[in-house]
Amino acid sequence: MPPEYFKEIGRTPPPKDRSYVRYLAAGIADPSSDAAKQRLYLVLEFIQGDPRPWKRSEFPEVAKVLDGDDEPLRIVLAAAERDQFYSPVITRGVDEVDPLPLVAAMDPMTTQLPYLVHSLRLRAMLNLGEGDHEAAWEDLLGCFKLARLLGMGMSKIHAQRSYMLEERNCAATEAYIRTADPSLSQAKHYLRALQSLPSLARLSEKVDLFERCAYLDALLVIRTNQEGAIAYLDCEPGLAATGKMVNLFWKDAIDWNETLRIGNRYYDRLVKSLEKTDLAQRREEVTVLQQELKSLAERAIGIRGTDDTAKGRAATESKSKLVAAIIAEKLMSDIDKCRIFEARVKQRFANLEMTLAPAANRKGISEE
């Protein structure tokens, strides 16, 4: 974690000599032979593969790392019991460009927390494989709690990472149910625990606040022509080029207040669409908006300083609308992927609840 992160949360950085959760392949020496390389590939494939029960005898190197990480993983489990999550998005003091645009800002927790959950999930599958069902369930429940806490973060990145963890946690829990074959009373207990989790991250909430602010921030970066900051806009592909084009040809012909208003209306539409409960209607409305933005953005392709539009003969209103559409189209380019991910994870968790529901519980439930 960068020092600036701890300044933002008002904490002293932890000592470097403290025990931390390690990379799961840390116990494997650099391969010096074909056999060692083959073993490394096998271990990495296991670590990155679908969750399944396993035993120490299969991957003693990974088990040794998890055993050595018992203390930091205990702290991770304790953190999972918190009911609120805060992790600042760092924009100051991390680069010569200060502040960074929001599209380039980072929250280290979006990369660090998934790594911790992965270790906890692997340990749950180890406990499951060795018959310690109680310990396995404790770790799995901790994985769900941490995923939901991460989903409380501000941005769509927080939501995406949360969905990714949730999906893997559901897969691990499905493996747990198949292997442990819980009794009716145990299934009731597991179901109550899952239903008491914090709510799954809502993509619409991330879009309504943080992603909307990222649009406004990008527009201000372009408006003030901050060259270094504009370069960082390319964290969203094509956005930096848009900024340069506007400043070369259109800057003095843009009604920036109008561009802000138009962009806000686009985000209002997107949020309203994402909150639809009818998935087909939700998909249709998001698709229509994206196609509209793409069509408007494509109108700007090929405009140069010699064109009438660039010389200012086109209405300022049209240029303002084009700029708003171009920036919104770039920033919303992956929203459909996020929407699909959210719907898929919701359905998978609902399937898990149905599997555990007492009325539907059966011995030897077939795999979903």
Side-chain angles (χ1 to χ4, degrees), residues 316-336:
T316 295
E317 181 181 357
S318 297
K319 294 180 183 178
S320 302
K321 187 175 182 179
L322 284 177
V323 171
I326 293 169
I327 297 175
E329 193 267 337
K330 302 296 183 188
L331 292 174
M332 295 180 187
S333 61
D334 65 343
I335 206 68
D336 205 45

Side-chain angles (χ1 to χ4, degrees), residues 77-135:
L77 272 179
E81 296 304 316
R82 299 298 179 97
D83 57 4
Q84 295 292 325
F85 172 89
Y86 172 69
S87 185
V89 173
I90 306 299
T91 62
R92 309 302 300 262
V94 294
D95 192 89
E96 291 180 1
V97 175
D98 194 347
L100 288 171
L102 280 180
V103 296
M106 67 167 184
D107 173 7
M109 197 61 74
T110 59
T111 55
Q112 296 294 320
L113 191 55
Y115 177 68
L116 302 179
V117 173
H118 189 49
S119 290
L120 200 59
R121 191 189 308 114
L122 259 291
R123 191 176 73 172
M125 293 295 96
L126 172 59
N127 287 327
L128 178 61
E130 301 206 326
D132 192 345
H133 297 169
E134 185 177 346

Side-chain angles (χ1 to χ4, degrees), residues 25 31 48 50 78 85 101 140 159 253 261 263 271 273 302 314 316 336 346:
Q48 297 165 7
D50 292 336
F85 172 89
L140 278 177
R261 285 191 288 269
V271 170
S273 299
T316 295
D336 205 45
K346 280 184 177 179

